Amino acid sequence: RNTELAQKYHNDSVLERHAISEGLNLCARNPELDWLKSFDNVEDRKYVENYITEAILATDPARHATIVKEALAFVEEGPKAYDSVSSESLPESVGLTQFDRANLKQRLFIGRLFLHSADISNPLHASFDVARDWAVRVTTEFSRQASKEKELSLEVTSYMDGLDSEYNIAKVQISFFAFMVQPLFDAVGKLFPNLSHLNDWGEANCDGYRQVIAACEKERGEG
């Protein structure tokens, strides 16, 4: 809260807003990097910039509950949840995965949903070794942030502190899957059935972490 960036963005999705700003500024400063120049129409460019902005903001963990709520609303209400055609007018063969491409709210919803889902999907890899490697990388970043917060006399983000052992990392990954990843991907799997297997991989990886915990506890007991 006391940093320059936090003050600049009013302590609201600070890192996400900084990434958005830097990305768009790079495009503005360097014509060779400005892929947005392909949009000749000013309104089209503004739409794309807004789409990118909203999708990246969706990766802020503080917005997780809202995204899950939106996804569940679409599961329960179908296209009516986003002001599309009424479900009664759709063929019986069309399920809740029927999106209206002309509906800007639905298009933005899908972008936000997919980017946030991808952002927290490391526990869902088919290979436990890969999922575990990603967990180490993420928790290393968390530990560095916690150390920096202590250095700046800021309130330390509790779940980012103390991730200094395989045991603690395994515990955090199981909780992360249960409370954040699994509920979101339950909804994703209902909206996009071809993705419904991802939570099964998450469950299998949690079994792997339980084995890690058991091995650590056994080692402690023998020590």
Side-chain angles (χ1 to χ4, degrees):
R1 294 174 182 173
N2 298 324
T3 65
E4 182 179 342
L5 283 180
Q7 293 175 5
K8 180 178 180 179
Y9 298 114
H10 307 290
N11 204 39
D12 178 32
S13 302
V14 176
L15 296 180
E16 292 78 14
R17 291 186 187 279
H18 181 60
I20 295 163
S21 176
E22 287 297 295
L24 294 178
N25 285 338
L26 278 173
C27 289
R29 292 195 302 264
N30 192 331
E32 294 183 359
L33 299 177
D34 188 14
W35 60 273
L36 289 168
K37 66 185 177 184
S38 60
F39 297 96
D40 296 327
N41 186 292
V42 174
E43 291 303 314
D44 288 344
R45 178 166 178 142
K46 285 182 178 179
Y47 170 78
V48 173
E49 289 182 357
N50 179 68
Y51 192 97
I52 293 170
T53 297
E54 291 300 319
I56 293 176
L57 287 175
T59 64
D60 183 350
R63 299 171 188 250
H64 173 78
T66 298
I67 293 173
V68 173
K69 183 178 179 180
E70 290 178 0
L72 291 174
F74 207 107
V75 168
E76 294 171 1
E77 301 176 32
K80 291 187 292 184
Y82 274 83
D83 303 326
S84 183
V85 293
S86 67
S87 57
E88 288 79 7
S89 66
L90 296 172
E92 290 184 3
S93 60
V94 175
L96 296 178
T97 54
Q98 175 65 33
F99 291 96
D100 181 0
R101 288 188 296 178
N103 187 300
L104 298 183
K105 289 184 178 180
Q106 289 188 31
R107 287 163 64 175
L108 184 56
F109 161 70
I110 293 172
R112 294 170 67 245
L113 177 66
F114 272 19
L115 192 57
H116 177 54
S117 297
D119 191 45
I120 65 171
S121 65
N122 65 283
L124 303 178
H125 202 280
S127 165
F128 176 63
D129 289 338
V130 174
R132 189 177 181 181
D133 179 64
W134 270 108
V136 170
R137 293 170 186 267
V138 171
T139 52
T140 297
E141 180 182 337
F142 286 172
S143 295
R144 289 174 178 170
Q145 178 173 327
S147 296
K148 193 65 176 180
E149 288 170 340
K150 292 175 183 178
E151 179 184 327
L152 296 173
S153 299
L154 299 173
E155 182 179 351
V156 177
T157 307
S158 58
Y159 70 86
M160 294 186 178
D161 197 21
L163 301 175
D164 52 0
S165 68
E166 281 191 309
Y167 180 85
N168 289 340
I169 291 174
K171 285 276 194 179
V172 166
Q173 286 300 300
I174 291 173
S175 296
F176 179 57
F177 174 74
F179 292 106
M180 286 194 71
V181 179
Q182 190 172 39
L184 176 63
F185 278 86
D186 276 344
V188 169
K190 291 173 182 176
L191 291 171
F192 304 95
N194 287 341
L195 301 178
S196 60
H197 64 284
L198 292 177
N199 266 342
D200 293 336
W201 290 349
E203 290 282 8
N205 289 330
C206 283
D207 288 340
Y209 286 122
R210 292 184 185 99
Q211 292 178 21
V212 170
I213 291 170
C216 290
E217 290 177 341
K218 181 180 180 181
E219 184 177 341
R220 288 177 183 178
E222 291 176 351

